[in-house]
Amino acid sequence: GWAAGPRGRRRGAMAVDFQEALSACLSHGRGLLGRSGRDYCAAAGGAGAASVASLAGLSLLDMEFSLPALMRQTAQSAFLLVGGLACIQGERSAKAQFMDSFHGVVQDYFGFAMLPLGRAAAYALAALYCAGARATAIVEESIFFRLAWYLCCLAAFAGSAASVCLWHQSRQQRGSVGVEDGMSADAYQCSYEAQAEAFDTYQPPHAS
């Protein structure tokens, strides 16, 4: 009886620890599943912007030592880098409460990056161009370079789809807010008309 007591207590403690660990894992899973789709879309959009900027770096690594190819790839890298950085700032501005100085520059010169549909178009165009350019490349490169290139293109496509989803959700929210405002305005108008009718039908007592 004395030997079985500590052993039973140890088993009970292990069972309690297992139940606590299981409940912690389940609560963490519910927290992940409870996150809104908007958070996942925002994360995918940020990954798409970073992928476009990464494609600019990969383009620099794939330089050819001829003047026409050098000019083309330099311009390609510059466009991808500037577009990617502008879209990164757009993704940050969509979640930030305070705007920095770089926000004004992007808003003035790269306004498309401040809108979800503009970023979606930029990600899609960059992914289509880079995928097509790599498919028609004559020079053979390593399998790792090609894998990194196509993974960035895939992430840019995912970011484009996520930005479209964000735009659609924002449009639905604006529509619902507009409907609620219209209903509240109609209710206020009806109450105002009822009060006006009651005031019109009121007859003051005649002085004797």
Side-chain angles (χ1 to χ4, degrees):
W2 179 82
R7 187 180 303 170
R9 286 194 294 270
R10 286 197 298 270
R11 289 179 180 176
M14 290 175 63
V16 171
D17 293 339
F18 177 75
Q19 290 177 357
E20 291 179 354
L22 182 60
S23 62
C25 291
L26 290 177
S27 62
H28 182 67
R30 284 194 296 268
L32 289 178
L33 293 176
R35 294 182 64 184
S36 63
R38 192 177 185 87
D39 295 333
Y40 292 110
C41 289
S51 298
V52 174
S54 299
L55 285 170
L58 291 175
S59 298
L60 290 176
L61 295 176
D62 194 37
M63 283 288 185
E64 297 179 9
F65 297 100
S66 62
L67 183 59
L70 186 63
M71 294 171 61
R72 179 183 60 83
Q73 289 178 331
T74 301
Q76 173 181 309
S77 299
F79 277 112
L80 290 173
L81 181 61
V82 172
L85 293 178
C87 290
I88 288 174
Q89 180 62 32
E91 297 286 349
R92 290 179 55 196
S93 300
K95 297 179 291 185
Q97 296 180 354
F98 302 99
M99 304 304 174
D100 51 11
S101 59
F102 191 51
H103 170 82
V105 177
V106 174
Q107 189 173 13
D108 291 339
Y109 298 100
F110 305 98
F112 69 92
M114 309 306 295
L115 302 174
L117 275 185
R119 294 194 295 270
Y123 299 154
L125 289 175
L128 287 173
Y129 172 79
C130 291
R134 187 52 49 196
T136 57
I138 301 176
V139 180
E140 289 291 334
E141 59 274 323
S142 65
I143 187 64
F144 298 105
F145 181 87
R146 189 174 286 266
L147 180 62
W149 186 275
Y150 283 117
L151 282 177
C152 289
C153 293
L154 185 61
F157 273 123
S160 177
S163 297
V164 172
C165 289
L166 282 176
W167 169 79
H168 184 65
Q169 291 177 3
S170 300
R171 187 179 180 185
Q172 285 183 337
Q173 289 178 357
R174 287 196 301 267
S176 63
V177 170
V179 170
E180 291 176 358
D181 292 342
M183 292 175 63
S184 61
D186 292 340
Y188 176 78
Q189 183 68 22
C190 291
S191 63
Y192 175 78
E193 291 176 355
Q195 291 177 1
E197 290 178 359
F199 180 78
D200 292 338
T201 56
Y202 172 74
Q203 296 295 333
H206 295 286
S208 58

